[in-house]
Amino acid sequence: MSFCVKCGQDCEESLNGLCIDCWLDGRKLTNLPHHVDLKVCTNCGEFGVGDRWIRKDLLVAVQDAAADNLAAIRDVKVVNMAMDVEVKDEYVYVVTIDSTCDVLGYEAHDESSTIVRIKNNVCRRCSRQLGNYYESILQIRTGSKDLSPELREETLAMVENSVARQAATNRSLFITKMELVTGGVDVYLSSMSLGKSLARELSDAYCAEFKESPKLVGQTTDGQDMYRLTYLVRLPEYHVGDIVIHNKRHCKLIRVSGNGGRVIDLMDFREKAVRRADMSEIKLFEKSTDLREATVISVSGSEIQVMHPDNYATIDLRIPEGYEVGDSVQVVTIDDVLYMVP
């Protein structure tokens, strides 16, 4: 048991010789600076927090900026805060914080306020992006003369989706720009690792040829060589749905993956696997977009009668077991003979 040197009362706990009531009397428990500057990127809208940039609601960012700068004096612990925000204009906010404090197990309240000023800025990521910064180039090409618009859109969508997934955990990753060039498209990327991962992803998805080549572009301030990497992905001429020649057999390509592909033989409708190493031997016979439609006249067991799309003759065609026939079927002509394409 001790006594308070100010009021003379006995007290179980004392701070600097004072009872809790006397110690708290007129004492400011918390404080805030006169103003706090909150950086916001004018390009992406994210807010600067220390050395990071974070996406959040404006009012939440304002409150967080004030709370992060709240300080308590010695022997005081802030256990809860209630905040009031007064909007002066779109760049100035007055934040008042009512703090619930713990002082040696006793609850006390204190109020502080500050001015949060919004300061326009550009984050490092956007600065690089707006400045056309890039470390690698992904070149998407095809075995034929030009990359078809459909395949171009398909591959670019895959690239954009992959970059979005990776950027969710690493905001330094982005697409700087895309350029249509003769024979394909060039994608400029913010990092070499991003370029490599995208090249591998496209290579696996299409069983495509994949090459990389470095280019010396300068030196760092400490004398280290700086390189940019170009990743070439050469897509095969064939695509899923096309008629191809494999082992001298005409087949429909039904699947492509990093392990290889699968085809259906048009002569006996047997499905076969093609190893990744053998995919380069596949030759394009006819694009899926060039396949013809033949009108179905009748169906009898494993055969159908169709009208030839060129001379309108009645042709008997075999169909796969269990195949559901509609009003028409896709057909292809091989050595002047019509075959059904399942």
Side-chain angles (χ1 to χ4, degrees):
M1 182 70 70
S2 58
F3 69 94
C4 175
V5 297
K6 183 177 181 180
C7 68
Q9 293 185 357
D10 293 334
C11 54
E12 294 182 1
E13 300 284 351
S14 65
L15 287 171
N16 300 326
L18 299 175
C19 65
I20 296 299
D21 290 336
C22 290
W23 189 85
L24 290 174
D25 187 29
R27 190 180 299 270
K28 193 81 173 89
L29 304 181
T30 62
N31 60 78
L32 282 166
H34 174 267
H35 63 271
V36 175
D37 289 338
L38 175 61
K39 295 184 295 183
V40 60
C41 177
T42 56
N43 187 58
C44 67
E46 294 188 351
F47 295 93
V49 180
D51 59 352
R52 298 182 302 154
W53 290 84
I54 301 174
R55 183 171 299 279
K56 57 176 72 174
D57 181 77
L58 173 60
L59 288 180
V60 172
V62 168
Q63 292 177 339
D64 289 347
D68 289 344
N69 285 272
L70 181 71
I73 64 175
R74 184 180 176 182
D75 298 318
V76 174
K77 180 181 179 182
V78 177
V79 295
N80 195 18
M81 290 183 289
M83 283 182 271
D84 178 69
V85 180
E86 181 184 355
V87 181
K88 292 297 185 181
D89 58 48
E90 59 179 324
Y91 296 105
V92 178
Y93 299 79
V94 177
V95 181
T96 302
I97 301 180
D98 182 7
S99 304
T100 302
C101 304
D102 178 82
V103 184
L104 296 179
Y106 292 86
E107 182 179 297
H109 290 268
D110 194 59
E111 188 176 277
S112 298
S113 63
T114 186
I115 299 171
V116 177
R117 305 185 304 187
I118 304 297
K119 296 293 184 181
N120 289 334
N121 210 306
V122 180
C123 67
R124 179 180 176 84
R125 177 180 185 271
C126 290
S127 177
R128 285 185 164 188
Q129 195 169 15
L130 294 171
N132 286 330
Y133 175 87
Y134 66 96
E135 292 183 5
S136 64
I137 305 173
L138 176 64
Q139 296 181 330
I140 303 174
R141 303 292 187 267
T142 184
S144 56
K145 183 177 179 181
D146 292 312
L147 186 66
S148 68
E150 295 79 15
L151 189 54
R152 183 180 66 237
E153 294 303 319
E154 183 178 304
T155 53
L156 289 182
M158 184 181 296
V159 167
E160 290 175 333
N161 291 335
S162 181
V163 172
R165 287 195 306 270
Q166 297 183 59
T169 55
N170 184 353
R171 68 182 312 278
S172 66
L173 303 180
F174 57 84
I175 297 173
T176 303
K177 60 180 177 178
M178 297 180 179
E179 287 186 349
L180 296 180
V181 296
T182 302
V185 60
D186 288 349
V187 184
Y188 292 75
L189 301 159
S190 63
S191 80
M192 289 183 282
S193 61
L194 178 60
K196 191 168 189 174
S197 70
L198 292 173
R200 283 178 172 171
E201 188 174 331
L202 288 174
S203 178
D204 287 344
Y206 295 96
C207 282
E209 179 186 357
F210 163 35
K211 294 180 179 179
E212 64 178 76
S213 57
K215 179 182 179 182
L216 181 65
V217 294
Q219 288 187 325
T220 62
T221 54
D222 58 356
Q224 298 293 317
D225 289 339
M226 291 177 58
Y227 289 91
R228 283 194 178 120
L229 282 173
T230 298
Y231 298 94
L232 171 64
V233 177
R234 191 173 297 280
L235 304 176
E237 290 184 273
Y238 54 77
H239 197 46
V240 171
D242 293 343
I243 306 303
V244 298
I245 301 175
H246 172 59
N247 288 340
K248 299 181 180 180
R249 306 276 293 186
H250 290 79
C251 307
K252 178 182 178 179
L253 184 63
I254 59 173
R255 187 186 309 163
V256 174
S257 69
N259 298 322
R262 296 193 72 83
V263 297
I264 293 180
D265 194 313
L266 296 185
M267 307 302 164
D268 55 20
F269 301 118
R270 291 182 179 177
E271 189 173 319
K272 305 173 185 178
V274 184
R275 296 182 306 168
R276 174 68 182 265
D278 297 331
M279 290 295 289
S280 60
E281 299 176 3
I282 288 180
K283 302 300 180 185
L284 176 67
F285 179 77
E286 188 158 331
K287 299 292 292 181
S288 61
T289 52
D290 296 330
L291 295 176
R292 308 290 299 279
E293 292 282 337
T295 301
V296 176
I297 300 174
S298 65
V299 181
S300 177
S302 61
E303 291 188 349
I304 59 174
Q305 280 191 336
V306 301
M307 184 181 298
H308 197 292
D310 293 327
N311 56 29
Y312 307 111
T314 301
I315 307 293
D316 293 330
L317 297 179
R318 292 180 61 248
I319 60 173
E321 184 179 352
Y323 185 81
E324 295 186 6
V325 180
D327 294 333
S328 64
V329 293
Q330 285 190 319
V331 293
V332 62
T333 301
I334 303 172
D335 296 331
D336 296 326
V337 178
L338 202 66
Y339 291 88
M340 182 263 185
V341 179

